[in-house]
Amino acid sequence: MNTITTKDGTQIYFKDWGTGQPIVVSHGWPLSADAWDDQMVFLAQRGFRCIAHDRRGHSRSGQPRDGNDMDTYADDLAALVETRDLTKAIHVGHSTGGGEVAHYIGRHGTNRVAKAVLIGAVPPLMVKMAANPGGLPMEAFDQIRAGVLADRSQFFKDLSAPFYGANRPGAQVSQGLRDSFWLQGMLAGFKGVIDCIKAFSETDFTDDLKKFNVPTLILHGDDDQIVPIGASALLSSTMVKGSTLKIYPGAAHGMCSTLKNQVNADLLAFVGQQI
């Protein structure tokens, strides 16, 4: 397997497909690099080099007890970028991965970054507090933790319905896609899955977003039941200078799969000519 070793000795698995300008993709919770296969095949066939990694604590990467926090996730991403000597990279993050991309830029700058894309992303802050009245109450994340601790397997099976919008009238979401979500979640480390809930829900990315100085595309579904658009993309788009917001009417959180052709087309249009 392709792996790098971080400064604390954790091995990070990655895929590196194709040649050309690099597109680095960061996955959501509790998934893995495999969640990006539709985009990676599409973009690699069109002359781009696509790199996806399993976040620490997830799937084929190391599953350490500690370090499952957004600072370390961002530093792991930086280690991957530097080890593979990626320059002029286009960073694309979905959900928690969008937070990872934002925090990577906030901590490590944009010297190696050409563009950024946030899809159904968690920034600027998910949890409700005085400074973020539109966020979700802490009780919502406590319920996620309780569900994972009580019966992780069944929780992931159930979560796949709102994740892909399968619980909406007339939805056409295959059982196979829902099973893939469950499988990826079950391959993640138990401790990493639990810790990541705090990382994606309680990390404030506001200052990170204000440091963006590259062209940025923000994609979000207005029927996202996991990361509601009002407290995420609608706010992020006002914080990232010059960003472009595209709202997908009726789209669910997992739109990289359910609307993969539309997402792929929008990504290709945004990345444009290689530089």
Side-chain angles (χ1 to χ4, degrees):
M1 293 199 305
N2 294 327
T3 62
I4 65 164
T5 302
T6 65
K7 60 185 180 182
D8 71 350
T10 300
Q11 287 196 319
I12 302 296
Y13 166 84
F14 67 93
K15 305 177 184 184
D16 192 337
W17 296 354
T19 58
Q21 186 178 4
I23 298 178
V24 185
V25 291
S26 296
H27 65 80
W29 176 93
L31 303 176
S32 71
D34 295 348
W36 287 110
D37 281 355
D38 289 321
Q39 285 69 47
M40 290 185 65
V41 168
F42 176 84
L43 292 166
Q45 288 176 339
R46 286 155 179 80
F48 291 90
R49 177 185 176 189
C50 298
I51 301 98
H53 66 291
D54 291 346
R55 186 172 299 114
R56 70 166 54 214
H58 294 68
S59 197
R60 292 148 294 199
S61 286
Q63 299 183 1
R65 183 182 184 281
D66 301 314
N68 302 299
D69 56 78
M70 199 56 67
D71 285 355
T72 309
Y73 297 157
D75 292 349
D76 288 348
L77 177 56
L80 175 64
V81 167
E82 291 163 10
T83 300
R84 304 302 291 171
D85 194 23
L86 306 178
T87 58
K88 299 179 180 177
I90 300 159
H91 281 267
V92 183
H94 173 248
S95 195
T96 299
E100 181 177 283
V101 169
H103 212 48
Y104 163 73
I105 289 176
R107 286 173 68 83
H108 298 277
T110 56
N111 288 340
R112 292 176 176 265
V113 181
K115 297 180 179 180
V117 183
L118 305 178
I119 305 176
V122 298
L125 175 61
M126 284 200 74
V127 71
K128 182 178 182 178
M129 56 180 57
N132 187 44
L136 295 172
M138 181 62 75
E139 290 78 7
F141 303 108
D142 289 340
Q143 289 174 4
I144 294 174
R145 274 182 280 267
V148 171
L149 287 167
D151 188 339
R152 173 175 52 155
S153 183
Q154 189 60 51
F155 181 82
F156 288 156
K157 284 181 179 290
D158 295 340
L159 183 62
S160 69
F163 193 95
Y164 296 113
N167 57 346
R168 295 309 197 206
Q172 296 182 346
V173 178
S174 72
Q175 188 61 48
L177 180 58
R178 295 183 62 180
D179 289 347
S180 177
F181 178 94
W182 170 83
L183 177 59
Q184 291 180 62
M186 291 305 294
L187 289 174
F190 197 30
K191 183 64 162 55
V193 163
I194 295 169
D195 289 354
C196 191
I197 298 167
K198 179 181 178 66
F200 72 66
S201 64
E202 298 182 40
T203 304
D204 188 343
F205 301 99
T206 301
D207 289 341
D208 299 322
L209 295 174
K210 293 177 180 178
K211 295 178 181 178
F212 278 46
N213 59 0
V214 295
T216 301
L217 175 65
I218 300 174
L219 305 178
H220 214 106
D222 67 3
D223 193 31
D224 191 324
Q225 301 170 67
I226 307 299
V227 182
I229 190 172
S232 54
L234 297 186
L235 294 179
S236 293
S237 62
T238 67
M239 298 177 183
V240 179
K241 294 179 181 178
S243 62
T244 299
L245 171 64
K246 184 169 184 177
I247 299 172
Y248 284 33
H253 188 60
M255 65 188 198
C256 290
S257 297
T258 59
L259 297 174
K260 62 184 180 182
N261 292 337
Q262 185 177 353
V263 171
N264 289 351
D266 284 339
L267 287 175
L268 185 61
F270 178 68
V271 298
Q273 296 296 316
Q274 297 186 55
I275 58 175

